[in-house]
Amino acid sequence: MTRTHAHRVTWLICGILLLALLCVASVAFGARTVGLSDLLAGVQGDASSVDSAAVVKRLPRTALAVLVGAALALSGAAMQAITRNPLAEPGILGVSSGAALAVVAGLSFFGLHRPFTLMAVAIGGAACAAITVYLIGGLGSRGRSPFALALAGAACGAAFISLTNAIMLPRVDLLRTYQFWRIGSVGGASWESVGVLIPLFIAGVVLCALLARGMNALALGDDVATGLGESVGRTRALVGVAAVVLCGAATAVAGPIGFVGLLVPHVCRTLFGPDHRWLLPFSALAGAMLLLGADVLGRVITRPAEIEVGILTAILGAPFLIWIVRRTRVGAL
C-alpha cells in the first residue's frame, strides 16, 4: 500500500467514524435532548416515553439526511466530470428545480401522491431540465463553456421556480403541505420515503462506481479519452443518467436542496485529488456529513423551532460559489 493510498484510507475511516457520531447527534439533539437510556430505547423501537418517542421519530430523518446528502454530492461530482465544468451542480444547473417542478405538477394536475410515482416523475423532470440546459448552454459560437452552462442553468432554474410557485400559490392546501419541502427539508422523513429512495440510490452509486475510470478519462478531454479507448458518448450518457437519477430521487423526498453538489466535490478534489475512484466515495461521505450536520445545527440553534437544511446549505454554498467564480478566468466566458 502506497503512502498516498494509506493516507486516503485513513481519512476514509475517520470520515465514517465522524458520520457515525453525527448520526448519534442527529437522534439525540433537537427540540428535546435525550439521554443515553432513552436513546438506546428509541433505537430499539420503544416509544413508551416522550424522549424515546422523539428518537424513534428522528431515526428516519437521520437516514434520509445521509442518503440525500450522499446522493446530491455524487450527482454534483458526476455532472462536473461529464461537463468538465467547475460550476456544474444540480441546483445551479436547474436540474433540482426541474425535478421539483415535475413533482408539484404531478401533485396538482394528476393527483399523484405515491412516493415511488413521485420519484419517477421527479427523475423525468430532472432529465428534461438537464437536457434543456445542456442544449441551451451549447447555443452560440463559444460552445458549452462553464459560464454558458451556469447561465443557462440559472435562467432555466429561475423559470422552473417561477412555474412551481405559480402552480402552488393558488393551491393553499398544497402550499401548506409542501412549504418546507420546496425550501429543502428532511423534516418530513418517514421509513416509506427512505425505503423508496434506497434502491435508486444504490443504482446511482453502482453506476457511478462502474464509470469512475471513464470519468477520469473524460477529465483529460474527449480526444484523449477516445485515444485511450473510451466511448466518450456512451460514458457521458451513462454518467448523466446516474447524476439525474441521484438528483431526481433526492429532490423527490427532500425538495430542491442546493450547493451540496457544488461544495462537496470541490473540497474533496482539493484534499484527495481528482481520481474519481477516490473522489466519488469521499464526496458521498462528505455530502452525507454536510447535510446531516446542517440538519442537526438547524434544529439546535433556534430550538424549539427549526431552520431547514436548504437554507443552511445556501448560506454555506453562496460564498463558496462567489469564490469559485472569482478564481475562474474571465476568459472562460
Side-chain angles (χ1 to χ4, degrees):
M1 181 182 292
T2 64
R3 183 175 180 180
T4 301
H5 187 76
H7 172 77
R8 289 169 173 167
V9 171
T10 301
W11 275 106
L12 198 61
I13 294 173
C14 291
I16 293 172
L17 293 176
L18 180 57
L19 179 60
L21 290 176
L22 284 172
C23 289
V24 174
S26 178
V27 296
F29 299 110
R32 302 178 64 92
T33 300
V34 302
L36 180 60
S37 59
D38 288 311
L39 191 152
L40 293 175
V43 170
Q44 294 172 4
D46 181 5
S48 57
S49 69
V50 175
D51 286 345
S52 62
V55 172
V56 172
K57 186 177 180 180
R58 291 172 188 166
L59 286 173
R61 180 171 185 161
T62 300
L64 189 67
V66 170
L67 292 173
V68 169
L72 291 175
L74 283 173
S75 181
M79 288 183 182
Q80 290 171 15
I82 60 177
T83 61
R84 296 197 298 276
N85 182 355
L87 299 176
E89 189 262 348
I92 293 176
L93 293 186
V95 179
S96 296
S97 301
L101 174 60
V103 170
V104 170
L107 289 167
S108 300
F109 302 136
F110 303 103
L112 304 178
H113 288 90
R114 296 179 64 85
F116 186 80
T117 304
L118 289 177
M119 199 160 289
V121 169
I123 292 172
C128 292
I131 294 171
T132 301
V133 170
Y134 191 76
L135 292 176
I136 294 176
L139 298 177
S141 58
R142 296 182 179 230
R144 295 181 180 87
S145 69
F147 280 95
L149 283 173
L151 290 174
C156 291
F160 297 150
I161 292 172
S162 297
L163 289 172
T164 301
N165 290 333
I167 294 172
M168 291 188 72
L169 286 176
R171 297 286 302 275
V172 179
D173 56 332
L174 194 64
L175 186 62
R176 288 177 179 174
T177 304
Y178 292 94
Q179 61 179 332
F180 295 114
W181 173 87
R182 66 175 183 160
I183 297 172
S185 171
V186 293
S190 65
W191 286 120
E192 182 182 16
S193 59
V194 172
V196 173
L197 175 59
I198 286 177
L200 292 171
F201 175 78
I202 292 175
V205 168
V206 170
L207 195 53
C208 284
L210 293 175
L211 296 168
R213 290 182 180 274
M215 293 187 210
N216 287 341
L218 290 178
L220 301 175
D222 290 358
D223 293 338
V224 175
T226 301
L228 293 173
E230 193 70 36
S231 177
V232 172
R234 181 180 64 86
T235 300
R236 182 171 279 120
L238 290 175
V239 175
V241 168
V244 165
V245 167
L246 289 168
C247 171
T251 302
V253 294
I257 299 174
F259 293 108
V260 175
L262 174 71
L263 193 154
V264 170
H266 271 281
V267 173
C268 292
R269 191 177 292 109
T270 300
L271 293 176
F272 307 109
D275 187 347
H276 286 82
R277 292 173 297 177
W278 288 100
L279 177 62
L280 293 175
F282 274 116
S283 294
L285 187 60
M289 288 191 292
L290 173 62
L291 203 66
L292 189 57
D295 184 46
V296 174
L297 182 64
R299 281 184 273 155
V300 170
I301 60 178
T302 59
R303 67 171 67 178
E306 296 182 8
I307 299 177
E308 306 303 328
V309 290
I311 297 174
L312 289 176
T313 57
I315 292 173
L316 291 172
F320 190 78
L321 173 61
I322 295 171
W323 176 75
I324 293 175
V325 172
R326 286 182 60 86
R327 72 190 292 266
T328 302
R329 292 184 305 130
V330 178
L333 286 168

